[in-house]
Amino acid sequence: MEDERSSSLLQLMVNEGLVPSPEEEESRKIVIEKLKKIVMAWAKRVAWQRRLPKQDIAASSATLLTYGSYGLGVHGSESDIDALCVGPYFATMVEDFFIVLYNMLKSRPEVTEIHRVKDAKVPLMRFEFDGISIDLPYVQLKLLAVPENLDIFDPLFVRDIDETSWKSMSGVFANRHICQLVPNLEKFQSLLRCVKFWAKRRGVYGTLNGFLGGIHLAILVAFVCQHEPNASLGALISNFFKTFAFWPWPRPVELQDGTLHPTVNPTETRLFIPIRLPFSPYEYCHSNITRSTFYKIRAEFLRGHNFTKDLLKSDFDWHNVMEPFPYTKKYTRFLKIFLSASKQDELGDWVGWIKSRFRCLLFKLEEVQGICDPNPAEYTDADTAKPHVVFYWGLQPGKTNAIDTESVKDVFWRNICTGYQGPLGEMELSVVQASQLPKCAQSDTINRKGMKARWKITDYNQQRIPIYSQHLPHYVVGYVSTNGDPEYPSAGV
């Protein structure tokens, strides 16, 4: 019976499109190989610009390291690829990565929707390559030739890297450590696919909205796999819910790696759900979890446990566990967050920037309302012509049923206007009843593919000033707009 439960869960994952086909797998491998060739050519071009000796130009190289869902082998047909560009000592982020490599990628026919996200904690480029979304951060190592099979655990390779590079590499470090620490990689991958699907269906996935991200779930899943190395998939997911439904938060979750970690007072973490990164005993996964989202995550762990504790009952059905969260049945009132821009190509920047500040809005709502459930799904209003996105956050009965949305908006608006470099869009906040939600929001399906956060899209109609290489005075590496930041050019060749 337990084997049958595991098989039916795997079949559910296949039916939901969470397991890519062999053709899709091959497409991703081809894209990665093409990107590796591009960054290799880029390294040699930059070496030539730097006027390095011919033998150094010939020896210079760069590579890509995959991480995230693809690096862990749990990507689906809709998943993007997280790939770290690892460059040599002479290739800088500001000039060579964000200008030279950007221009090389932009000139490729396979590349569309390319953007530079410079204001994030991990600066990166985001683009589509043959229809597959790519997130590409950069790390600069003190090497002339970066080996293709780079061993990131070799201290010789990663010595003296700066803080930004360390943050960029943290995803790769975490992936590699997790894969080494789990007793059965295939079981871990299957369980993580299931748990991510559950988290998305139940509305507790997404760090920008204050919920669990991919790295959080990967470590929680690996923790359960370490403690139940011989359990079936069905038993593992049951143990997952049982473990974290009754976990004594804020006690940290950490993987067993054979080393003795120093004891840390859990209250010192200032996190609701502290999860230690597997490669550093002193660091925790970045988290935006607030009081509201913590309550919901904990409630969903408990709900999952209540459904899976009777795994062997004859009427057990995985669809009940994975049922989409019933927002319109759970809440009678919603905070409507309406975001719009004058142009479609400005909307992604505007929405991405505001989502990166959602934690501030959550704090303010908790202050005036009590508890709020930020539904991660993004909707559109059929009656609105201008480019826009709408969010509907569930409001539980709190201190008052009347929310002064204008005062909430004023506080949030001051926060989001600080540091934003693009053209400001519009934001409207209002409280609506469940009956006023559009049909697309009343269906309680939260599988809509959300917009990726991105900042500062180039306006190519502006007058531009050429930027010349520091090492080849007559070689143009890019342009800067007349009102742009000369250190971070906003346009490319």
Side-chain angles (χ1 to χ4, degrees):
M1 181 69 80
E2 194 172 296
D3 289 343
E4 192 278 329
R5 293 285 181 262
S6 299
S7 298
S8 62
L9 181 56
L10 285 173
Q11 188 59 51
L12 175 63
M13 297 299 104
V14 173
N15 295 344
E16 292 290 342
L18 301 183
V19 182
S21 66
E23 294 77 17
E24 289 169 333
E25 287 281 22
E26 186 62 26
S27 296
R28 279 172 165 72
K29 288 179 182 177
I30 291 172
V31 165
I32 291 169
E33 286 306 312
K34 284 184 177 180
L35 277 174
K36 281 186 176 180
K37 290 179 181 178
I38 292 172
V39 298
M40 180 68 81
W42 163 74
K44 296 187 182 300
R45 177 179 292 188
V46 175
W48 173 78
Q49 290 178 32
R50 295 286 188 261
R51 293 182 169 177
L52 297 184
K54 287 185 178 180
Q55 64 271 22
D56 286 356
I57 296 175
S60 63
S61 62
T63 192
L64 290 180
L65 300 175
T66 58
Y67 63 103
S69 61
Y70 186 82
L72 289 173
V74 296
H75 55 288
S77 55
E78 296 279 328
S79 301
D80 57 8
I81 295 177
D82 295 299
L84 177 67
C85 177
V86 187
Y89 75 91
F90 53 81
T92 66
M93 178 181 288
V94 172
E95 182 174 306
D96 302 310
F97 179 73
F98 275 130
I99 300 179
V100 180
L101 181 56
Y102 170 86
N103 293 326
M104 290 177 68
L105 289 168
K106 195 174 187 307
S107 67
R108 299 280 300 211
E110 308 99 321
V111 175
T112 57
E113 298 291 324
I114 185 166
H115 304 282
R116 290 171 284 199
V117 185
K118 299 173 182 174
D119 303 313
K121 291 181 180 179
V122 176
L124 53 83
M125 283 193 280
R126 178 167 287 146
F127 52 92
E128 302 261 333
F129 197 107
D130 281 337
I132 297 174
S133 296
I134 308 290
D135 276 4
L136 189 70
Y138 178 62
V139 61
Q140 179 183 2
L141 298 187
K142 292 182 170 18
L143 300 172
L144 171 67
V146 180
E148 183 177 3
N149 56 346
L150 175 70
D151 180 7
I152 61 168
F153 297 129
D154 188 335
L156 178 67
F157 290 146
V158 296
R159 72 187 191 281
D160 301 328
I161 62 174
D162 57 39
E163 185 179 354
T164 300
S165 294
W166 179 259
K167 288 179 180 177
S168 298
M169 292 196 76
S170 63
V172 179
F173 276 122
N175 269 203
R176 301 288 172 90
H177 274 282
I178 289 170
C179 290
Q180 288 180 352
L181 294 174
V182 293
N184 185 312
L185 184 59
E186 189 174 341
K187 281 185 182 178
F188 163 77
Q189 291 169 331
S190 297
L191 179 59
L192 184 53
R193 280 189 198 277
C194 298
V195 168
K196 284 183 72 173
F197 180 62
W198 160 82
K200 290 177 180 179
R201 278 290 185 97
R202 300 302 298 175
V204 291
Y205 185 83
T207 53
L208 293 181
N209 289 77
F211 293 112
L212 299 165
I215 184 62
H216 303 97
L217 293 178
I219 295 174
L220 295 182
V221 165
F223 180 87
V224 172
C225 289
Q226 282 191 330
H227 287 78
E228 300 286 343
N230 300 315
S232 66
L233 177 60
L236 280 172
I237 197 166
S238 178
N239 289 332
F240 173 86
F241 288 125
K242 181 180 179 180
T243 299
F244 298 113
F246 302 108
W247 188 265
W249 307 109
R251 175 184 163 191
V253 176
E254 56 185 291
L255 298 181
Q256 297 175 345
D257 59 3
T259 61
L260 185 63
H261 296 168
T263 303
V264 177
N265 184 343
T267 58
E268 292 179 4
T269 66
R270 297 182 181 178
L271 299 173
F272 284 97
I273 299 182
I275 300 172
R276 275 182 171 161
L277 289 166
F279 58 89
S280 172
Y282 304 105
E283 292 186 33
Y284 292 85
C285 299
H286 172 73
S287 172
N288 287 326
I289 295 172
T290 70
R291 184 164 51 93
S292 293
T293 55
F294 171 67
Y295 288 157
K296 181 172 181 182
I297 292 168
R298 194 170 56 176
E300 288 302 323
F301 281 145
L302 188 58
R303 175 188 177 274
H305 167 64
N306 288 334
F307 270 104
T308 57
K309 65 183 178 181
D310 298 320
L311 197 67
L312 303 184
K313 274 191 172 182
S314 59
D315 60 346
F316 179 84
D317 189 343
W318 287 113
H319 289 88
N320 295 329
V321 183
M322 307 295 180
E323 182 184 19
F325 187 84
Y327 286 96
T328 53
K329 295 177 182 176
K330 182 74 173 177
Y331 308 111
T332 58
R333 299 179 308 135
F334 291 82
L335 178 74
K336 179 181 179 181
I337 307 170
F338 181 89
L339 307 176
S340 62
S342 56
K343 300 177 183 177
Q344 184 66 43
D345 61 358
E346 294 174 358
L347 184 64
D349 274 9
W350 181 236
V351 174
W353 179 260
I354 290 183
K355 285 172 69 175
S356 72
R357 301 295 191 270
F358 267 172
R359 194 166 189 250
C360 170
L361 178 58
L362 261 174
F363 280 141
K364 184 60 181 176
L365 288 169
E366 288 175 354
E367 179 186 314
V368 302
Q369 162 72 21
I371 296 295
C372 176
D373 183 355
N375 178 0
E378 301 177 10
Y379 302 96
T380 55
D381 188 339
D383 298 327
T384 304
K386 59 182 175 182
H388 71 282
V389 167
V390 186
F391 296 87
Y392 294 100
W393 289 7
L395 297 175
Q396 291 186 349
K399 298 176 183 177
T400 174
N401 282 333
I403 297 179
D404 184 357
T405 54
E406 284 304 313
S407 66
V408 172
K409 178 181 176 180
D410 287 343
V411 172
F412 189 44
W413 186 261
R414 286 196 295 271
N415 181 275
I416 60 179
C417 287
T418 303
Y420 186 59
Q421 299 180 18
L424 292 175
E426 296 179 13
M427 179 182 69
E428 299 173 18
L429 300 182
S430 59
V431 176
V432 298
Q433 301 299 314
S435 58
Q436 296 175 278
L437 266 61
K439 289 183 179 179
C440 62
Q442 291 184 13
S443 64
D444 289 326
T445 55
I446 54 174
N447 296 325
R448 293 173 55 83
K449 190 177 180 182
M451 209 177 288
K452 282 281 189 179
R454 48 183 183 254
W455 294 262
K456 200 169 181 179
I457 299 179
T458 302
D459 181 356
Y460 291 98
N461 296 320
Q462 293 179 341
Q463 184 180 352
R464 298 177 297 162
I465 301 171
I467 298 293
Y468 293 95
S469 169
Q470 297 175 6
H471 306 274
L472 290 171
H474 302 292
Y475 188 84
V476 177
V477 296
Y479 294 86
V480 64
S481 61
T482 52
N483 63 346
D485 182 344
E487 185 179 6
Y488 297 99
S490 62
V493 174

